[in-house]
Amino acid sequence: MADNSKAEDTASDSVEAAKNGSDKKEKLADQVMQNPQVLAALQERLDNTALTPSSYIETLPKAVKRRIDALKQLQVKCAHIEAKFYEEVHDLERKYAALYQPLFDKRREFINGEAEPTDAESEWHSENEEEEKLAGDLKNVVVIEEKAEGEETNVKGIPDFWFTIFRNVDMLSELVQEYDEPILKHLQDIKVKFSEPGQPMSFSLEFHFGPNDYFSNSVLTKTYKMKSEPDKTDPFSFEGPEIVDCEGCTIDWKKGKNVTVKTIKKKQKHKGRGTVRTITKQVPNDSFFNFFSPIKVSGDGESLDEDSEFTLAADFEIGHFFRERIVPRAVLYFTGEAIEDDDNFEEGEEGEEEELEGEEEGEEEEDAESDPKKDFSQPAECKQQ
């Protein structure tokens, strides 16, 4: 009996001790929660804990999730309608390309000296007209003096027109090697051709060359194949037509004139006899004309390596740039005006962003002075309300 009584006392003591311990923890918790610094730290931690959209969606009732799935079905249908819109845009581009072409043909004639513009066609009033008039008068004096000395020049068309564009545009000049330059000086025209109605969406670039000592082709072509339909596995990524593949052409190089390869000499040692022989081997060479031998996108679903993907993406970007900027606005890239416009636009965007940031900082300082207790973690949008 004594043992039972002792066990009961021990159990009672344990319960009492546990109760006292629990009371102490509750009192300590109350004291901690009454501490302003602890409360502020907890609040800051809660504020910094971001609720992601996906985690929020998971908390929604099943019926609401079902309605969200219905909205996604509608979004997919919108993507397919958007794809049809871009197909019609492509048809419009083809239609208006036919209207532009007579103007581009006349541009080619002026560039290559096949025709001379009339006074009305060559009349142009620029912003620096007075300065240009003075420069023109001075040039006329020099020309008169040269003629008097019998040094008359006879320049045909606009020399090196397309080559100058290549040199002016960084995206293109990076591709051009020194040995490419004399070939590009024979470039007479660049045209964009759109796929015919009913054919898969694509566009081709045609580079027209005059007779030269490097290859016998009069036209080099590059065709870009496009897709304007949502991806079945990821329909929400659709943002319009995208280039998915491209095809070049075979350049018929004249003997010893192929700038896309170079010949190297290599020594080989025979394993058994130990004799050494010298062999010649052709290896790829950097050149703009590799543009017409692009990397082929695999049709069997195999993925390209990282370097090939980068090269292909750069190729697509260059093709798009020719189509959208170079060909339609060639004269402005020749004079550099289009390049200056692009640079000014980019600088303007940066300047505007910096200016806005400065305004926000100024507002923060003013708010801090007017209300020292203001929470500095409050978003800038709220501060302006």
Side-chain angles (χ1 to χ4, degrees), residues 39-52 375-379:
L39 288 173
L42 287 172
Q43 185 62 46
E44 183 179 359
R45 187 171 180 179
L46 287 172
D47 292 341
N48 292 336
T49 302
L51 183 64
T52 62
D375 180 9
F376 286 94
S377 64
Q378 190 177 12

Side-chain angles (χ1 to χ4, degrees), residues 68-93:
I68 293 173
D69 290 341
L71 294 184
K72 288 183 178 180
Q73 287 275 12
L74 296 176
Q75 191 63 44
V76 171
K77 292 180 180 179
C78 287
H80 283 282
I81 292 174
E82 187 178 7
K84 291 293 182 184
F85 163 77
Y86 283 114
E87 288 178 5
E88 293 194 18
V89 168
H90 188 73
D91 292 337
L92 277 176
E93 286 182 310

Side-chain angles (χ1 to χ4, degrees), residues 26-39 42:
E26 288 180 2
K27 289 180 181 179
L28 181 61
D30 289 340
Q31 291 175 358
V32 169
M33 294 305 294
Q34 290 174 4
N35 188 324
Q37 294 179 344
V38 173
L39 288 173
L42 287 172

